[in-house]
Every structure is written in structure tokens, then in C-alpha cells.
Amino acid sequence: MSKPVMNIALVCGPDCDMETQAVRAALELFGARVFTYWIGRPNDLISVLSGEDLYAGTDMIVLCFHGDEGKFIMPELGEDVYEEGEPQGDFGPAEILRYAKLDGKIVIGNGCTLGDPELARAFLERGCRIYIGPDDYPDGNDALMYLLRFFYEMIQHGKSAEEAYALAVTMSKELPMYRLYKSSTLI
């Protein structure tokens, strides 16, 4: 493999494996190095968001999850399966504030309502430079196409995240529900 254009952490939540595989194949074809994380329990996501299990040099994090009411839908485990201190339930702003350490990263929450302003604010407070996500419930194909166009513009045409975002949301009438939030500390 020649030197990758960028390093991307692709994080697969419950029941999102088909989207994750499609995104990974496209990103690798575009020339990115993709590290895929399969989330089977809450501590798996915490390890990524805290940076503990994130590969050095990761430029961007894509969270392929289902979402509802501004929260990431997490796997439900049996009571005896959770590790001591492991959180139970879905991940919203409180969990992001508690566990994430995202110094300068660009993060995309690609699932329903994961562009909720309160959730985005939590990501930004934990060091994220840019956070992108839909503030409503996109069709699954639209969510996939948003990611593909976004990364196509960044990788193939050298666009900034802001420029790629602006182009990707024009692909269909559904996609303007995607919102881009920037850290005010960098403005």
C-alpha cells in the first residue's frame, strides 16, 4: 500500500455492519487507511473515544451507529455480562463528556439524530475540532451516500472538511439535515 491520504477510524455500532463494510471498501479505494472498530460492548466504544485504542495519526473518526433522540444506540448485554463500572444504556452527551478525549479530531456521527446540538456540543467540549451529523432521521442510503461524497471530495479533490460537507449536503433534499459544528476555540 502506498502512503495513505488520511487515516480514518471507522467505528461500527450494533446492526451497522453492511454500511460499515461499504464505507470501508470505498474509503480504501479512495486511498485512505481505515482502522475498523467493531463495538460489541460499551467499553469498546469508550476505548476508541478516550483515545486508548485509537491508532496514532488518526485524522478522522466515523461513528456508524443507529441513533435516536440524540443518543448512540448501544448493544444491550445481559446483566452478568457487563464489566464492573461499565455503563449501561445508550450514549448521549453525558457519556461523551465523561469518556471522550478527541483532541483536534474531526468526528462524523452517521446515524439518526446524531447531529443533535447538545450531542455536538459535548463532542466539541471534549476536544473535537469539527463534528458532523444529521439532526433528523435520514434514509440509510442517503446516510451512506453522504459519507461517500464527503470523503470523495476530501480525498479526490483535496477539499477541506467544510467544503466537502457543503458539497455532500447538496446531493439530495434529505441531506441538508446534516449539520456541521466547529469548535469555537479554533475560530
Side-chain angles (χ1 to χ4, degrees), residues 36-115:
T36 306
Y37 299 85
W38 304 96
I39 304 304
R41 61 183 318 121
N43 280 344
D44 295 340
L45 181 58
I46 290 169
S47 292
V48 173
L49 293 177
S50 70
E52 177 186 322
D53 194 27
L54 205 56
Y55 283 90
T58 297
D59 303 302
M60 303 185 73
I61 300 171
V62 178
L63 302 166
C64 291
F65 273 77
H66 290 289
D68 190 37
E69 296 183 13
K71 292 184 175 184
F72 293 86
I73 296 175
M74 296 299 293
E76 292 184 32
L77 308 175
E79 288 293 324
D80 58 333
V81 177
Y82 285 100
E83 295 173 355
E84 187 175 329
E86 187 170 25
Q88 297 180 26
D90 297 336
F91 270 43
E95 290 75 21
I96 300 307
L97 288 170
R98 181 172 179 191
Y99 299 111
K101 184 178 180 199
L102 301 162
D103 301 331
K105 302 283 186 244
I106 295 173
V107 178
I108 301 174
N110 202 39
C112 294
T113 72
L114 297 180

Side-chain angles (χ1 to χ4, degrees), residues 27-43:
L27 292 178
E28 288 177 346
L29 182 66
F30 293 164
R33 177 179 289 141
V34 181
F35 302 103
T36 306
Y37 299 85
W38 304 96
I39 304 304
R41 61 183 318 121
N43 280 344

Side-chain angles (χ1 to χ4, degrees), residues 19 23 108 110-112 134 136-150 168-178:
E19 174 191 9
V23 170
I108 301 174
N110 202 39
C112 294
D136 206 346
Y137 294 82
D139 174 79
N141 290 340
D142 283 325
L144 172 63
M145 290 308 297
Y146 174 82
L147 281 179
L148 297 182
R149 177 72 185 272
F150 177 83
V169 297
T170 65
M171 288 190 345
S172 82
K173 63 181 176 21
E174 287 274 316
L175 294 178
M177 74 177 67
Y178 277 79

